[in-house]
Amino acid sequence: MYTPISAATKADSQSTVELAPFYYLDNFRALLDAVVAQYADLLRPEELGFATGFAALQPREQALMVRIYSRQGPLLRSDRLVYAELPDLPDLLESLAAKGWLLRNPATTREVLLSCLTRAELTAWCGAGTVGRRADRLASAQGETQDILARVPFVFIEPCHRPILRTFMDLFFGNRHQDLSTFVVSQLGHVRYPRYALDSHSRFFRDRAALEHFGVLAALREQVREIEEARFGNPGSSRQPPHGGQPRSETRDSTGAALLAIAHAIPDLPADDPLRPRADRLRNRIARQLERLDETSGALEVYAGSLGPPARERRARILFKRGDPSGCESLCQAMSEAPLDYSEEHFARHFLPRCQKKRGIKVTPPPVLSVPIRHLTLPGRPVEGLENGVARHLSGAGSDAFHLENWLFNALFGLLFWDCLYQPVRGAFMHPFQTRPADLFEAGFAARRRAAIEQVFHDLETEPHRLAAQVQETWQRCVGYANPFVGWLPEGDRLLQRALAHLPASHLSKVFRHLLGDLRNHASGFPDLLVLHGDGGYELIEIKGPGDQVRPNQAQWLDFFAREGIPAALLRVDWPP
């Protein structure tokens, strides 16, 4: 038999969930309570007053404030605040204004007011033109601020305390890409988040300075995004930047100077600070854009301040390009002796000979792929896809082939190391809506959990007979919870049990140690097929069709399997034209 992975989808036993009328208020209260419980010592008096003041509002006033806080824009229009559960909205707005929670028709500029009006409204109330770009219509609009306020049949609303709310959101989520909608995603059952401990001992922000650093990094990251969109274009947008994405020479210097200024403003944090990886990712991002501007000196400077990959690799490449093979070789040697992840090790192994050759040193060519290479000719192109067609061809005569790709070893790893992944480590978990620890792909992930991880390896190596039962128990206990390594395939537990009957624990131990060496890069590239033989043996097979090449992440796994004596092969497949 064979099992095509396309036939197996993520388990989904969700049913329709109907939210309570004031679900959003319950979520907002939960956020405030969680922040006060964890960070009361970090909050300023006015921030604590925000939480107590909100609790003192009437429930319907609270509900309207949450609705208002969830809307975007500097000003809101009262005619667009329509909520079935809040029919007495005018009275609520008046009461909240009297209590200092919002402003009605606040002092603002003419431009802000006009930006809140539609095309038809601009024409009817402000005499704006009816054709041309919106900017042109805004420019032709008539009337000053007071004139506009007198003409519109509604009230402009500005919520108070937004900066304080931003502080609460930052403390709760620890990022700027999640918001209150995350609660709803969980409540509707779209994502089941794993369970883990949240307490003040393992909280993300150690002190007020850490919160300030977080805000600085978020602001600087937004500045970089704006520069990238203006000069290089937004990869997620169809809008093309000026000059085809390449800045003109007259703007190149100013762009480079602006990026360098942002890099210099990045806080210099200790290596063990939970925010240091974020700071280094921002440095690497800035330096990469400086490379695009051909500002290599600035790029070298910024990369030198980063502790995270690929900073050293990029520095080495720049030095080599600038004709400094000796400096490049020194960096490659450092990466070879103490790689931060597999990408550094792989780069150093392949780039170091180039540096030495440039310096006139005789080098030995890197070894070719060391796994067995076999060939298979099929009668025609498989209609069900190459991998599934080969799996069908190899099944039979006592052997079963399964098209599992990355799923098998990732799932086994996620299940065996489940408790290690969700261990309470400082800075790893900030709120109940995380599928993985925040430091999962950082260089120090395994070191921070060394004792727990080594205990799993000890049990695996000394009690291999318990392996299948441990995997089954975790599957049954955690099925359906989101995990970065485990895909809950239908009958996935049965597939794992079949595989474990053939996979030696010693082989799994080697694979998992290699995987832990670089979780970001090693979680992919596994061979396409698992073939289970009737004599209890097994084989991993990477399939390549006509013209297909082995990718670097696949090559590193095939090389690893060959070095460790794990049965694997490369199968090149063709068929008649």
Side-chain angles (χ1 to χ4, degrees):
M1 64 171 289
Y2 76 99
T3 300
I5 198 169
S6 58
T9 58
K10 184 177 179 179
D12 185 3
S13 58
Q14 300 166 3
S15 57
T16 302
V17 176
E18 189 168 333
L19 298 175
F22 292 96
Y23 69 91
Y24 53 91
L25 177 56
D26 295 336
N27 295 340
F28 191 81
R29 288 169 174 166
L31 184 148
L32 295 184
D33 292 344
V35 170
V36 172
Q38 274 205 308
Y39 292 109
D41 58 311
L42 268 64
L43 294 171
R44 292 171 176 160
E46 62 270 24
E47 293 161 349
L48 287 169
F50 173 82
T52 56
F54 184 84
L57 295 174
Q58 295 299 316
R60 301 178 81 80
E61 294 173 335
Q62 293 179 347
L64 180 55
M65 281 310 305
V66 176
R67 287 292 199 185
I68 289 175
Y69 281 139
S70 299
R71 304 288 286 266
Q72 301 296 318
L75 295 181
L76 306 177
R77 295 169 42 156
S78 61
D79 63 326
R80 293 183 177 175
L81 299 177
V82 180
Y83 306 107
E85 74 276 14
L86 299 173
D88 51 341
L89 192 137
D91 294 338
L92 292 175
L93 288 174
E94 184 175 348
S95 175
L96 287 168
K99 294 179 179 181
W101 282 84
L102 56 82
L103 301 176
R104 296 158 57 91
N105 288 337
T108 188
T109 65
R110 172 179 177 272
E111 289 70 26
V112 170
L113 294 182
L114 292 175
S115 69
C116 298
L117 304 182
T118 66
R119 175 188 296 188
E121 291 168 346
L122 286 170
T123 301
W125 298 334
C126 304
T130 58
V131 296
R133 297 179 306 163
R134 181 170 176 82
D136 297 331
R137 295 194 300 274
L138 290 174
S140 66
Q142 302 171 11
E144 296 303 318
T145 300
Q146 292 304 317
D147 299 323
I148 298 171
L149 292 176
R151 293 169 185 166
V152 299
F154 51 80
V155 176
F156 290 100
I157 303 294
E158 180 183 358
C160 300
H161 315 305
R162 273 202 185 275
I164 293 178
L165 177 59
R166 178 73 270 168
T167 296
F168 272 79
M169 298 284 281
D170 288 346
L171 286 170
F172 184 83
F173 288 111
N175 62 65
R176 290 283 174 93
H177 63 266
Q178 288 180 292
D179 54 29
L180 288 168
S181 64
T182 306
F183 284 84
V184 183
V185 169
S186 176
Q187 290 164 342
L188 291 175
H190 297 329
V191 179
R192 294 182 62 196
Y193 293 96
R195 299 170 182 173
Y196 40 80
L198 290 170
D199 55 55
S200 58
H201 300 292
S202 59
R203 68 187 190 182
F204 184 74
F205 296 101
R206 181 182 302 172
D207 48 33
R208 187 76 191 197
L211 178 61
E212 302 298 336
H213 289 151
F214 174 89
V216 169
L217 288 173
L220 295 177
R221 191 163 49 246
E222 178 61 19
Q223 293 178 33
V224 172
R225 186 199 64 78
E226 291 174 355
I227 291 175
E228 289 174 337
E229 184 170 356
R231 299 302 185 204
F232 304 106
N234 183 354
S237 170
S238 59
R239 185 176 69 84
Q240 291 298 314
H243 328 310
Q246 294 298 324
R248 290 174 177 164
S249 58
E250 61 265 28
T251 63
R252 185 168 298 172
D253 290 344
S254 61
T255 301
L259 289 170
L260 273 174
I262 295 172
H264 293 156
I266 297 175
D268 186 16
L269 304 173
D272 63 345
D273 191 300
L275 286 171
R276 180 58 193 248
R278 302 190 190 194
D280 287 337
R281 285 195 293 271
L282 183 57
R283 288 188 178 95
N284 292 345
R285 180 175 172 179
I286 292 171
R288 194 71 183 95
Q289 298 297 9
L290 288 170
E291 284 191 76
R292 295 183 67 182
L293 294 166
D294 202 28
E295 298 278 357
T296 55
S297 295
L300 282 173
E301 176 192 342
V302 178
Y303 279 135
S306 172
L307 302 179
R312 292 197 292 184
E313 174 188 335
R314 298 308 311 173
R315 286 170 62 199
R317 290 184 182 277
I318 293 173
L319 291 174
F320 187 84
K321 187 177 180 180
R322 293 175 66 168
D324 184 5
S326 179
C328 176
E329 182 179 357
S330 296
L331 278 171
C332 288
Q333 290 283 11
M335 284 185 276
S336 179
E337 294 168 4
L340 295 176
D341 63 11
Y342 172 75
S343 68
E344 286 200 336
E345 177 188 347
H346 180 268
F347 169 78
R349 185 167 66 249
H350 290 80
F351 211 78
L352 184 58
R354 293 182 61 182
C355 299
Q356 295 170 335
K357 184 177 180 180
K358 192 80 170 178
R359 295 179 57 211
I361 300 174
K362 186 176 181 180
V363 298
T364 303
V368 297
L369 199 62
S370 53
V371 297
I373 301 177
R374 300 201 292 267
H375 294 82
L376 172 66
T377 298
L378 296 175
R381 179 191 292 271
V383 295
E384 66 268 63
L386 179 60
E387 292 84 0
N388 293 336
V390 174
R392 182 187 297 276
H393 179 85
L394 296 179
S395 295
S399 295
D400 291 331
F402 300 85
H403 175 203
L404 300 176
E405 297 190 45
N406 299 316
W407 180 81
L408 173 65
F409 289 107
N410 277 299
L412 288 172
F413 174 82
L415 292 168
L416 281 175
F417 291 87
W418 189 286
D419 293 336
C420 300
L421 289 173
Y422 299 107
Q423 185 179 0
V425 172
R426 178 179 170 260
F429 297 103
M430 292 151 276
H431 53 84
F433 308 113
Q434 294 178 230
T435 60
R436 59 178 176 83
D439 64 336
L440 179 64
F441 299 122
E442 295 173 12
F445 170 82
R448 298 184 191 103
R449 301 158 177 82
R450 189 176 306 281
I453 288 173
E454 288 304 320
Q455 183 61 52
V456 174
F457 279 118
H458 177 269
D459 294 343
L460 177 60
E461 293 159 4
T462 60
E463 300 179 295
H465 57 280
R466 298 183 58 238
L467 174 59
Q470 290 174 328
V471 169
Q472 184 69 10
E473 185 277 328
T474 307
W475 180 283
Q476 293 176 347
R477 171 168 55 94
C478 303
V479 63
Y481 287 106
N483 181 290
F485 299 100
V486 184
W488 304 105
L489 303 184
E491 299 190 24
D493 54 341
R494 180 185 63 82
L495 287 172
L496 292 177
Q497 293 301 312
R498 286 208 60 185
L500 288 173
H502 294 254
L503 299 173
S506 59
H507 289 187
L508 291 175
S509 180
K510 293 175 181 178
V511 169
F512 295 152
R513 287 195 183 277
H514 189 62
L515 183 58
L516 275 166
D518 188 352
L519 287 170
R520 183 184 298 278
N521 293 299
H522 288 177
S524 62
F526 286 99
D528 298 301
L529 301 187
L530 168 69
V531 182
L532 304 179
H533 299 304
D535 60 2
Y538 78 99
E539 188 175 28
L540 304 168
I541 297 180
E542 177 64 37
I543 301 171
K544 291 298 172 187
D548 291 343
Q549 300 298 319
V550 177
R551 298 192 301 271
N553 61 340
Q554 296 169 337
Q556 67 88 13
W557 272 116
L558 292 174
D559 282 335
F560 172 80
F561 293 145
R563 292 196 310 270
E564 299 297 334
I566 295 175
L570 173 64
L571 181 62
R572 296 200 174 275
V573 182
D574 58 17
W575 49 83

